[in-house]
């Protein structure tokens, strides 16, 4: 059988399954890059969550598209074109748009709830097949497959839970000011680059052990001289900020010489 014949045998739902599977992996990678996270385990988990969140509206859209009239098909097409456009803007943006970030987080949240529902359903199926006679006709391999799938998902969830707690204790580098304020004594490196900041966040003075501060790609025109009183601070990155040459010279004169100021890449 030729490749074209095999492709013709695949149903629309089959193509949708493949497309959403690939799209889920791509969106998961993109979301993790924006959140500055990594790891195959969390990539697998986020991909599954996004897949569950996309499959339901995808299958509903396919059903209405195949059975609906021209107006319904046009509305469904417009909806997915707009969704694809938002995803493209999200991938091209140097910083995270809050509305799109919320949408991505919503997708992950919906997928998580659907995944929990599926896990509950599999657990109930295992209970009926092993402890009752209601599912005696169900094949044993299906029970073991459910047990294996549940075990893998539970191990991933528990692993990420304990990993997250461990990172909160050991973490010394932060890129979110509010998160850093929860552990001020542990903040050694603070990355606030690309956050469109125009005024210096005074909360930074709450970090007594801060050693490196990245303020690049913002809108700073000056810095407070009080920052020179932070005894542990040794480096500040200020690349791609609208600082005049005169202001740069003033900062070099007013701040301690041992404090390294970086204005260019």
């Amino acid at each position: 059988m030729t490749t074209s014949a095999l492709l013709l045998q695949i149903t629309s739902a089959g193509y949708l399954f493949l497309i959403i599977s690939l799209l889920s992996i791509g969106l998961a990678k993109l979301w993790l890059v924006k959140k500055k996270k990594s790891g195959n385990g969390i990539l697998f988990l986020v991909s599954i969550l996004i897949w569950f969140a996309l499959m339901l509206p995808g299958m509903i859209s396919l059903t209405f598209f195949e059975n609906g009239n021209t107006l319904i098909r046009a509305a469904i097409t417009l909806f997915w074109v707009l969704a694809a456009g938002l995803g493209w803007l999200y991938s091209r943006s140097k910083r995270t748009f809050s509305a799109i970030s919320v949408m991505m987080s919503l997708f992950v949240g919906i997928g998580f709830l659907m995944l929990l529902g599926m896990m509950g359903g599999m657990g109930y199926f295992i209970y009926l097949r092993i402890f009752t006679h209601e599912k005696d006709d169900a094949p044993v391999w299906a029970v073991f497959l459910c047990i294996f799938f549940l075990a893998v998902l539970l191990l991933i969830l528990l692993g990420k839970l304990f990993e997250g707690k461990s990172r909160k204790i050991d973490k010394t580098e932060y890129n979110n000011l509010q998160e850093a304020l929860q552990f001020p004594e542990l903040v050694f490196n603070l990355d606030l680059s690309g956050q469109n900041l125009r005024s210096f966040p005074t909360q930074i003075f709450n970090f007594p052990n801060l050693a490196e501060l990245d303020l690049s790609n913002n809108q700073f025109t000056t810095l407070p001289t009080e920052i020179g009183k932070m005894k542990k601070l040794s480096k500040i990155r200020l690349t791609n900020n609208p600082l005049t040459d005169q202001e740069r010279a003033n900062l070099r004169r007013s701040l301690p010489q041992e404090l390294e100021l970086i204005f260019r890449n």
Side-chain angles (χ1 to χ4, degrees):
M1 185 177 292
T2 62
T3 303
S4 59
L6 288 173
L7 293 176
L8 289 174
Q9 287 186 346
I10 300 176
T11 63
S12 300
Y15 280 114
L16 181 66
F17 177 89
L18 295 174
I19 291 172
I20 288 181
S21 298
L22 295 174
L23 182 61
S24 299
I25 296 173
L27 288 174
K29 285 186 176 181
L30 178 62
W31 188 75
L32 291 175
V33 168
K34 292 287 184 180
K35 296 292 183 180
K36 297 185 178 181
K37 298 180 180 179
S38 60
N40 293 330
I42 192 171
L43 174 63
F44 175 73
L45 180 60
V46 174
S47 298
I48 290 178
L49 296 179
I50 295 177
W51 185 87
F52 274 103
L54 289 176
M55 273 304 292
L56 179 60
M59 292 301 295
I60 293 174
S61 298
L62 179 62
T63 301
F64 279 101
F65 189 87
E66 291 180 339
N67 301 321
N69 54 32
T70 304
L71 182 61
I72 292 177
R73 292 181 178 180
I76 293 173
T77 302
L78 179 61
F79 169 79
W80 286 108
V81 167
L82 289 175
L86 288 174
W88 181 82
L89 287 175
Y90 182 76
S91 66
R92 299 289 294 179
S93 63
K94 293 184 179 179
R95 61 187 180 87
T96 303
F97 292 129
S98 58
I100 302 178
S101 180
V102 169
M103 181 187 70
M104 290 292 295
S105 299
L106 184 62
F107 268 126
V108 174
I110 293 173
F112 181 71
L113 292 177
M114 295 177 66
L115 181 62
L116 288 180
M118 188 197 72
M119 291 173 65
M122 287 193 298
Y124 185 61
F125 169 75
I126 294 171
Y127 165 75
L128 292 178
R129 177 63 178 84
I130 296 178
F131 297 99
T132 71
H133 295 289
E134 292 189 33
K135 295 292 183 180
D136 286 342
D137 56 336
V140 177
W141 63 263
V143 178
F144 283 104
L145 184 63
C146 288
I147 293 174
F148 172 78
F149 193 60
L150 276 175
V152 170
L153 289 176
L154 287 173
L155 286 174
I156 292 175
L157 290 172
L158 290 174
K160 298 314 296 181
L161 177 64
F162 287 111
E163 181 184 355
K165 290 184 177 180
S166 175
R167 284 182 178 178
K168 285 184 178 180
I169 297 174
D170 301 332
K171 188 175 181 180
T172 60
E173 182 174 349
Y174 293 82
N175 53 29
N176 183 289
L177 186 58
Q178 298 305 317
E179 181 185 359
L181 287 170
Q182 298 177 19
F183 312 96
E185 300 289 336
L186 298 178
V187 180
F188 289 83
N189 299 293
L190 183 60
D191 183 358
L192 299 180
S193 60
Q195 299 189 20
N196 200 31
L197 300 174
R198 297 180 179 274
S199 59
F200 185 82
T202 57
Q203 298 96 322
I204 291 176
F205 295 128
N206 295 325
F207 307 131
N209 297 315
L210 184 64
E212 294 188 13
L213 177 61
D214 191 347
L215 299 175
S216 56
N217 299 305
N218 282 294
Q219 302 297 320
F220 292 111
T221 57
T222 187
L223 289 181
T225 55
E226 290 81 4
I227 198 171
K229 298 179 181 179
M230 300 183 71
K231 297 179 180 180
K232 300 290 183 67
L233 188 61
S234 61
K235 182 187 296 184
I236 303 178
R237 295 184 181 275
L238 290 162
T239 55
N240 296 324
N241 278 281
L243 291 162
T244 63
D245 292 338
Q246 181 179 357
E247 181 58 29
R248 293 180 183 184
N250 291 337
L251 288 174
R252 292 191 186 277
R253 284 194 301 267
S254 59
L255 295 177
Q257 292 184 352
E258 59 270 19
L259 178 57
E260 182 182 3
L261 299 175
I262 301 175
F263 296 109
R264 292 184 176 84
N265 292 324

